[in-house]
Amino acid sequence: MTFGMGIILTEEEKELVRPVVSNFAKNLLCFNDIYSYEKELRVQEGGHTGGQILSAVPIVEALANVGPESAKRILWTMCREWEVNHHRLVAETLRKYPSSKLEAFFKGLEYQYTGNELWSHETGRYK
């Protein structure tokens, strides 16, 4: 994203954005797991011997003792909480370190949030 937006972060700025990026990565990976789970399950049940499904869905199923649909609803809620946390982290960072460059970087992450969710929902990759 920084390359595409022409943003060059200093080492100090990279440290400042690290919590926001980490929070974003959880959201991105979680949406991937929610949307890709059914396809991964079909592939595994079809005899693929590539190993075990690596997804948050069966982990939440086991931890909460619920089925896959309930696990996905729990993960959806977690994704929404990470979005709320994103806004809190961004506001906190910009309050302490006001910067138009950081603002632009954070806005780019917000675009990725919505883009990733829509792409995950619409892509044939998970069908």
Side-chain angles (χ1 to χ4, degrees), residues 16-70:
L16 292 173
V17 303
R18 186 179 314 278
V20 179
V21 172
S22 175
N23 184 73
F24 167 73
K26 292 171 193 170
N27 182 281
L28 181 124
L29 293 170
C30 192
F31 269 125
N32 177 66
D33 285 357
I34 292 167
Y35 281 105
S36 67
Y37 179 70
E38 299 303 324
K39 180 178 180 181
E40 291 173 14
L41 191 60
R42 281 193 311 275
V43 168
Q44 186 182 46
E45 290 172 348
H48 179 70
T49 57
Q52 187 174 341
I53 293 177
L54 298 176
S55 170
V57 175
I59 294 169
V60 171
E61 278 184 75
L63 289 172
N65 196 27
V66 296
E69 293 308 311
S70 294

Side-chain angles (χ1 to χ4, degrees), residues 40-127:
E40 291 173 14
L41 191 60
R42 281 193 311 275
V43 168
Q44 186 182 46
E45 290 172 348
H48 179 70
T49 57
Q52 187 174 341
I53 293 177
L54 298 176
S55 170
V57 175
I59 294 169
V60 171
E61 278 184 75
L63 289 172
N65 196 27
V66 296
E69 293 308 311
S70 294
K72 287 192 263 181
R73 283 191 297 274
I74 292 167
L75 290 166
W76 265 98
T77 301
M78 291 171 67
C79 286
R80 295 302 177 227
E81 289 301 319
W82 283 316
E83 290 169 12
V84 170
N85 195 41
H86 169 81
H87 293 291
R88 183 189 61 75
L89 290 168
V90 166
E92 185 178 285
T93 303
L94 291 175
R95 188 178 66 253
K96 292 178 184 173
Y97 308 96
S99 161
S100 58
K101 182 169 39 168
L102 292 180
E103 273 185 53
F105 178 84
F106 292 144
K107 184 53 81 175
L109 281 181
E110 289 178 26
Y111 289 136
Q112 284 190 15
Y113 265 106
T114 56
N116 178 62
E117 183 174 347
L118 181 61
W119 183 86
S120 295
H121 180 69
E122 297 295 324
T123 185
R125 177 180 177 181
Y126 297 148
K127 307 267 186 238

